[in-house]
């Protein structure tokens, strides 16, 4: 088990959104702007790393049949910490991400990593896994948000790109998110298959 | 039996630690959150009653707060202004806004205090459109824009609160359509967010209904 392999699997081979198909709800919902996507990446990676560390530390003392409530308590605690801290120090981010901050609790990527990885591996490897998965998740969101913000609002980081250009409003709503994600999956899969052939 | 006892103890310990951690984080941040809330209220009052000084904070019979303010007009008369908070349900959740009116129920300004509308659609009601482009920012030609008001909230200024406010679909508000909208006592809806626009108008009308008796006294 190499550190490099565990880190990069989250970015490509086991990318949570593009390959495993988990964490889709925030991926579709908060990607209306690149800054929202980046803050979501930061918040989720923080929660994922903290929960992976803790789950990995307590994995031997928790009886198997109560592990899910314990994992959920750990995750929910860190999500609430993120929520309170954002409310106090980044009120604008708190308002624009809204309900999707508390909903990190039910992002199955986090419980999935606790169950599949952190409860079976050491602390260091769990951190590497969390960082890889968090960044892989966040990069996908950022790319998705880039297309949606530029095409749907004619903006980047909230600033107009081409003055006077009428943007395609459909990109800011759910159908635009699904279409963009679909095209991204198509591109990713065709690259992966052509790479395997050679 | 032993199994159950052990599991229960572990769960209890885990939740106890979690509660202690959250309680301490809350204690550390609560002053700052309260400070931000009061700042927000102060800023909102300055927006909805421009140029006025608050003279009194009163409580209505249902314990909701409202503010009475005064301003000296050009010919030395004292004009009274009132600000109050009203709520209505929007597309996704409650919208809370503060409304400022004068004695004749002319709207002096509105400020949306809380909303959970869709980003990019309804949430544009609180967004300030930057007049600079992305390239201006990169090349550094963008200057500080200072305090500005979202166009959606700006268009309510000087509308009559005693007449119904109508909604027209004209796209984003600009200075050219300002006079026409004011004459017809109407506002331009946010594209793709008619429900949000209606909710905010409802919120204002509800508030005016509630407070018009007090203001007319």
């Amino acid at each position: 088990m190499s550190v490099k392999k565990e880190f990069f699997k989250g970015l490509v081979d086991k990318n949570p959104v593009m390959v495993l198909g988990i964490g889709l709800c925030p991926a579709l919902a908060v990607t209306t702007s690149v800054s929202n996507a980046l803050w979501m990446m930061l918040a989720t990676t923080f929660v994922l790393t903290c929960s992976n560390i803790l789950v990995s530390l307590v994995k031997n003392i928790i009886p198997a049949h109560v592990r899910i409530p314990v994992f959920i308590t750990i995750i929910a605690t860190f999500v609430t910490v993120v929520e309170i801290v954002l409310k106090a120090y980044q009120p604008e981010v708190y308002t624009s991400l809204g309900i999707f901050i508390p909903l990190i609790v039910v992002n199955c990527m986090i419980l999935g990593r606790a169950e599949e990885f952190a409860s079976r591996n050491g602390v260091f490897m769990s951190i590497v896994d969390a960082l890889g998965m968090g960044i892989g998740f966040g990069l996908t969101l950022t790319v998705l948000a880039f297309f949606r913000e530029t095409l749907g609002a004619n903006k980047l980081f909230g600033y107009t790109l081409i003055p006077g250009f009428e943007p395609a409003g459909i990109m800011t709503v759910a159908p635009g998110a699904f279409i963009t994600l679909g095209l991204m999956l198509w591109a990713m899969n065709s690259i992966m298959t052509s790479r395997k052939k050679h | 039996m032993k199994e159950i006892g052990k599991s229960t103890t572990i769960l209890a310990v885990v939740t106890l630690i979690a509660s202690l951690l959250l309680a301490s984080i809350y204690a550390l941040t609560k002053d700052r959150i309260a400070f931000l809330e009061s700042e927000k209220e102060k800023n909102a009052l300055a927006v909805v009653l421009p140029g006025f000084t608050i003279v009194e904070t009163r409580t209505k019979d249902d314990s909701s707060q409202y503010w009475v303010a005064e301003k000296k007009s050009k010919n030395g008369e004292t004009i009274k202004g009132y600000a109050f908070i009203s709520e209505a349900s929007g597309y996704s959740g409650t919208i809370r806004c503060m409304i400022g009116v004068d004695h004749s129920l002319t709207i002096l300004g509105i400020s949306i205090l809380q909303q959970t509308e869709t980003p990019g659609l309804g949430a544009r009601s609180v967004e300030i459109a930057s007049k600079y482009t992305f390239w201006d920012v990169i090349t550094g030609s963008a200057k500080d824009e200072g305090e500005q008001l979202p166009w959606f909230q700006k268009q309510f200024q000087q509308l009559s609160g005693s007449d119904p406010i109508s909604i027209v679909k004209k796209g984003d508000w600009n200075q050219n359509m300002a006079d026409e909208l004011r004459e017809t006592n109407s506002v331009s809806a946010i594209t793709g967010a008619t429900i949000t626009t209606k909710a905010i108008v409802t919120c204002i009308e509800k508030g005016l209904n509630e407070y018009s008796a007090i203001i007319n006294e």
Side-chain angles (χ1 to χ4, degrees):
Chain A
M1 186 186 276
S2 80
V3 175
K4 205 176 142 195
K5 202 185 128 213
E6 289 305 322
F7 180 78
F8 282 101
K9 72 162 195 276
L11 270 68
V12 188
D13 294 337
K14 277 192 178 175
N15 184 302
V17 182
M18 306 281 278
V19 180
L20 304 181
I22 50 179
L24 282 173
C25 177
L28 295 167
V30 303
T31 50
T32 46
S33 75
V34 175
S35 56
N36 273 1
L38 290 172
W39 277 105
M40 195 64 194
M41 160 152 93
L42 207 66
T44 311
T45 311
F46 172 79
V47 173
L48 184 56
T49 313
C50 293
S51 81
N52 259 12
I53 293 171
L54 243 101
V55 166
S56 172
L57 284 172
V58 299
K59 64 178 183 286
N60 294 328
I61 41 173
I62 305 292
H65 58 278
V66 291
R67 69 181 194 286
I68 299 291
V70 171
F71 292 171
I72 290 288
T73 314
I74 292 173
I75 297 166
T77 308
F78 287 117
V79 171
T80 316
V81 169
V82 168
E83 193 186 350
I84 299 175
V85 170
L86 279 180
K87 196 174 179 182
Y89 297 99
Q90 290 291 337
E92 276 169 24
V93 176
Y94 177 78
T95 343
S96 75
L97 288 178
I99 185 72
F100 293 100
I101 293 288
L103 279 184
I104 297 174
V105 178
V106 288
N107 186 334
C108 30
M109 180 178 84
I110 297 171
L111 186 63
R113 290 334 283 169
E115 180 78 352
E116 198 189 312
F117 198 93
S119 61
R120 289 171 201 172
N121 291 283
V123 176
F124 179 69
M125 275 306 180
S126 297
I127 297 176
V128 175
D129 174 74
L131 290 177
M133 282 287 168
I135 294 169
F137 170 77
L139 285 181
T140 316
L141 259 66
T142 311
V143 174
L144 188 52
F146 174 81
F147 287 120
R148 289 184 67 194
E149 195 181 358
T150 50
L151 299 174
N154 184 23
K155 281 178 180 173
L156 198 58
F157 290 105
Y159 293 103
T160 311
L161 284 175
I162 309 161
F165 176 75
E166 185 65 41
I170 192 176
M171 295 299 280
T172 53
V173 285
F178 278 107
I179 294 166
T180 317
L181 185 66
L183 291 173
M184 279 168 68
L185 286 171
W186 174 44
M188 172 120 171
N189 278 327
S190 50
I191 294 168
M192 298 279 266
T193 21
S194 71
R195 221 175 47 174
K196 261 178 215 152
K197 275 182 202 151
H198 294 299
Chain B
M1 255 340 259
K2 222 183 126 199
E3 265 295 283
I4 293 175
K6 193 189 166 199
S7 310
T8 315
T9 322
I10 286 175
L11 270 179
V13 171
V14 169
T15 43
L16 184 71
I17 296 171
S19 327
L20 286 176
L21 180 72
L22 289 181
S24 46
I25 296 266
Y26 172 75
L28 281 174
T29 52
K30 78 169 190 292
D31 291 341
R32 185 160 165 91
I33 291 173
F35 168 75
L36 287 175
E37 286 291 314
S38 70
E39 280 291 292
K40 207 171 156 187
E41 196 180 276
K42 231 192 272 169
N43 291 339
L45 279 171
V47 166
V48 303
L49 294 171
F52 282 80
T53 12
I54 307 295
V55 288
E56 208 184 335
T57 307
R58 287 193 208 156
T59 327
K60 209 162 70 88
D61 10 308
D62 62 347
S63 81
S64 50
Q65 261 191 344
Y66 68 100
W67 294 265
V68 181
E70 279 177 2
K71 180 171 122 173
K72 284 259 182 286
S73 73
K74 277 175 204 146
N75 42 26
E77 276 175 274
T78 311
I79 312 171
K80 270 196 164 181
Y82 304 85
F84 48 87
I85 293 171
S86 176
E87 283 180 3
S89 357
Y91 183 72
S92 57
T94 312
I95 299 178
R96 250 165 77 87
C97 43
M98 191 188 270
I99 302 130
V101 292
D102 66 8
H103 57 92
S104 63
L105 291 184
T106 301
I107 298 170
L108 299 171
I110 68 153
S111 175
I112 296 164
L113 300 174
Q114 188 201 320
Q115 55 85 28
T116 47
E117 303 297 286
T118 322
L121 293 171
R124 284 183 56 214
S125 58
V126 293
E127 272 169 27
I128 298 165
S130 173
K131 57 175 183 280
Y132 294 106
T133 65
F134 186 65
W135 317 112
D136 289 337
V137 179
I138 289 185
T139 53
S141 59
K143 312 238 164 20
D144 189 24
E145 302 181 53
E147 285 288 308
Q148 257 192 321
L149 208 59
W151 64 263
F152 182 75
Q153 298 178 35
K154 200 174 173 179
Q155 59 179 344
F156 284 94
Q157 288 174 358
Q158 302 306 326
L159 291 189
S160 162
S162 36
D163 302 319
I165 300 168
S166 48
I167 297 167
V168 292
K169 293 182 181 174
K170 282 184 169 264
D172 285 13
W173 180 89
N174 58 51
Q175 202 61 52
N176 299 334
M177 58 170 92
D179 290 334
E180 197 193 327
L181 287 174
R182 209 157 278 165
E183 267 164 37
T184 51
N185 212 43
S186 46
V187 289
S188 181
I190 302 165
T191 314
T194 317
I195 295 176
T196 307
T197 313
K198 271 190 192 145
I200 293 165
V201 171
T202 311
C203 181
I204 293 169
E205 287 178 341
K206 222 170 96 186
L208 284 164
N209 273 339
E210 233 174 276
Y211 285 90
S212 56
I214 298 171
I215 292 164
N216 283 331
E217 263 170 28

